Amino acid sequence: MFPIRDHNPSGRTPYVIYLLMAANILIFLSYAGSMDNQRLITQLYTDYAVVPARITDGYTLETLVTSMFLHGGWMHLAGNMLFLWIFGDNLEDEMGHLPFLLFYLAAGIGAGLIHVVTAPQSLVPTIGASGAIAGVMGGYLLMFPKARVDILLVLVIYFRVFSIPAFVMLGVWLGMQFIGSLSSNPDEGGVAYWAHTGGFLVGLLLCIPLWLRRGASDYWNRTHGHPPHPEHKYKLSQSRIPRIPRR
């Protein structure tokens, strides 16, 4: 189940989203051709990835930021950029450019610290923008819980796009991360589920002041949980694949 777009148009050009996407893509391209060079990649991660044991000892605190701009492969990068593109522009619209950038970095740092707390002596390097983007998703849930999100559902050979409220999609995503957090061992590497879960909650908490300034529950009552402007309507075209009759 993949989100492909929302129905929540932005009222201003999301320059920070463009900047973050460009930074992530360009940095990945700078070393993508050397992914098979184990020595170079190991050195890169040693210098710029979050290693919880080193953070616990008070070293390399800057990696809480630098790790956000590293990715382990094309799919890792593409997935993160897709989620950032779908959910980030609306928060930047609501917050303003500089406040959104600070929010993004704070959510990423918070996610990294939560990961460190869950595995304080781990020597496994952690990279990726997922924690910061999870924070964006948490803020989106608070501000636009009923915004429509188009989902691509893939079941073996069955494909279908349909719309669901943001709170359903984001709630399912958060539940999956929490379940993954309980069943995984952060000392063994793999997906940093606690960073995802923690980043989501940090982002939601950081958005509470904005939500309160908008009127808190009155804001939801005015908008009915939808975006504060008309939603975009997409037309789904029929497939050109001919139907095959069955006997």
Side-chain angles (χ1 to χ4, degrees), residues 11 16 25 29 47 50 85 99 107 111 125 128 151 153 157 171 175 193 214 226:
V16 174
I25 293 170
L29 290 175
D47 293 340
V50 165
W85 174 255
I151 301 295
L153 179 65
I157 60 172
Y193 287 108
R214 292 290 187 270
H226 290 270

Side-chain angles (χ1 to χ4, degrees), residues 110-130:
L113 289 174
I114 290 173
H115 175 69
V116 170
V117 169
T118 61
Q121 300 306 317
S122 174
L123 294 172
V124 178
T126 302
I127 59 173
S130 305

Side-chain angles (χ1 to χ4, degrees), residues 12 16 90-102 214:
R12 71 176 86 185
V16 174
N90 302 114
L91 279 189
E92 182 177 347
D93 190 12
E94 288 293 314
M95 293 180 176
H97 303 304
L98 181 59
F100 174 76
L101 177 60
L102 297 176
R214 292 290 187 270

Side-chain angles (χ1 to χ4, degrees), residues 78-231:
N80 277 345
M81 295 303 98
L82 174 63
F83 275 70
L84 178 60
W85 174 255
I86 293 174
F87 299 109
D89 62 326
N90 302 114
L91 279 189
E92 182 177 347
D93 190 12
E94 288 293 314
M95 293 180 176
H97 303 304
L98 181 59
F100 174 76
L101 177 60
L102 297 176
F103 162 82
Y104 178 89
L105 295 174
I109 292 171
L113 289 174
I114 290 173
H115 175 69
V116 170
V117 169
T118 61
Q121 300 306 317
S122 174
L123 294 172
V124 178
T126 302
I127 59 173
S130 305
I133 294 170
V136 171
M137 295 162 67
Y140 191 101
L141 175 63
L142 180 64
M143 299 302 297
F144 318 110
K146 292 186 178 180
R148 307 298 296 181
V149 178
D150 284 350
I151 301 295
L152 173 63
L153 179 65
V154 180
L155 294 175
V156 189
I157 60 172
Y158 175 80
F159 299 85
R160 184 180 177 185
V161 175
F162 60 97
S163 295
I164 60 175
F167 76 88
V168 174
M169 182 265 152
L170 295 174
V172 169
W173 184 90
L174 179 61
M176 293 171 62
Q177 305 312 303
F178 183 69
I179 292 172
S181 301
L182 298 179
S183 59
S184 66
N185 183 353
D187 290 317
E188 297 178 353
V191 178
Y193 287 108
W194 278 118
H196 295 175
T197 305
F200 190 99
L201 297 177
V202 168
L204 191 152
L205 291 174
L206 289 176
C207 263
I208 288 179
L210 174 64
W211 178 65
L212 292 175
R213 289 198 301 272
R214 292 290 187 270
S217 59
D218 288 338
Y219 175 73
W220 283 346
N221 292 333
R222 291 195 307 271
T223 64
H224 304 287
H226 290 270
H229 42 66
E231 292 188 348

